[in-house]
Amino acid sequence: MFKFSFKVKHKNCSETRLSEKFPKHQITVIDIQAASEKQKQYLYYITGKERDFKSIITYLKTHGYKEVKQIEQSPETLLLLVTLKQKSYVQNIIQKYGGFFIDLHTVLAGYEYWHIGTVSRKSIDKMREELRNMGDLKTLFIGHVDFANTILSKQQKKVFSHAYESGYYAIPRNTTITAIAKDLKMSNATAGEHLMKAQNKLLNSAAKKIL
């Protein structure tokens, strides 16, 4: 198996424009469903300053999004259900050449970050060729990996373990993402992203074993 990690500043992309408008907010994207190749539904998990959340929602409703529904909000995070319609999507190219997603994609400061797997090294070259036509493409990693070795990355395990030990999952919670980030000397956005990805991976792994 091969892993291909990259970031791309996608031309004519609503997510890219949103991230450029609010560069200090990180968006983690969960793909829900696709009505067609041009219309897709996502969950946006946005971390950043709460004072900008209302402006973000207003911006989405007036810039290419067919649906914007607020699911929940905390002082540090905003969860939205959105429906987007545009001409091109990175995931269409990935799926065209047999790629599969090994992590949620994120958007920060105008760049989309993707981590995908594929059984063919040649398919990565084909993806890169088409992705370059979409915008500024920067390759972060290409190499052979064994996906069976680990569920969580080193950083995801570090953040999740600290959150668990600090009582983040207690009822009521004994800590916050802000406190966790401060303890680990990282930004709120980075801590929140690692924690959300760890939760998603662990939940999917557990579900496969019990369902």
Side-chain angles (χ1 to χ4, degrees), residues 94-112:
I94 293 170
Q95 293 168 340
K96 177 180 178 180
Y97 294 106
F100 55 89
F101 309 112
I102 58 176
D103 210 340
L104 301 176
H105 90 265
T106 58
V107 191
L108 180 65
Y111 278 95
E112 296 181 30

Side-chain angles (χ1 to χ4, degrees), residues 39-74:
Q39 182 169 309
K40 299 182 184 295
Q41 189 175 57
Y42 303 108
L43 279 175
Y44 280 179
Y45 179 81
I46 302 173
T47 56
K49 294 181 179 179
E50 183 182 20
R51 68 188 183 198
D52 293 325
F53 288 167
K54 185 176 180 180
S55 297
I56 289 173
I57 293 172
T58 300
Y59 179 87
L60 290 173
K61 289 181 176 179
T62 56
H63 288 79
Y65 287 79
K66 294 174 66 66
E67 176 190 23
V68 180
K69 182 178 180 181
Q70 183 173 336
I71 305 300
E72 62 182 48
Q73 179 179 330
S74 76

Side-chain angles (χ1 to χ4, degrees), residues 8-52:
V8 60
K9 186 165 286 190
H10 187 178
K11 294 182 293 187
N12 303 316
C13 173
S14 296
E15 283 181 2
T16 296
R17 289 194 292 266
L18 169 64
S19 184
E20 289 175 330
K21 179 72 174 177
F22 302 94
K24 294 184 179 180
H25 290 69
Q26 180 160 297
I27 309 161
T28 300
V29 184
I30 303 172
D31 198 339
I32 303 298
Q33 63 179 342
S36 67
E37 287 192 354
K38 294 184 178 180
Q39 182 169 309
K40 299 182 184 295
Q41 189 175 57
Y42 303 108
L43 279 175
Y44 280 179
Y45 179 81
I46 302 173
T47 56
K49 294 181 179 179
E50 183 182 20
R51 68 188 183 198
D52 293 325

Side-chain angles (χ1 to χ4, degrees), residues 78-106:
L78 175 67
L79 183 63
L80 301 174
L81 176 67
V82 303
T83 301
L84 175 62
K85 186 174 184 179
Q86 61 186 31
K87 292 182 179 180
S88 63
Y89 294 88
V90 172
Q91 54 262 59
N92 289 348
I93 293 176
I94 293 170
Q95 293 168 340
K96 177 180 178 180
Y97 294 106
F100 55 89
F101 309 112
I102 58 176
D103 210 340
L104 301 176
H105 90 265
T106 58

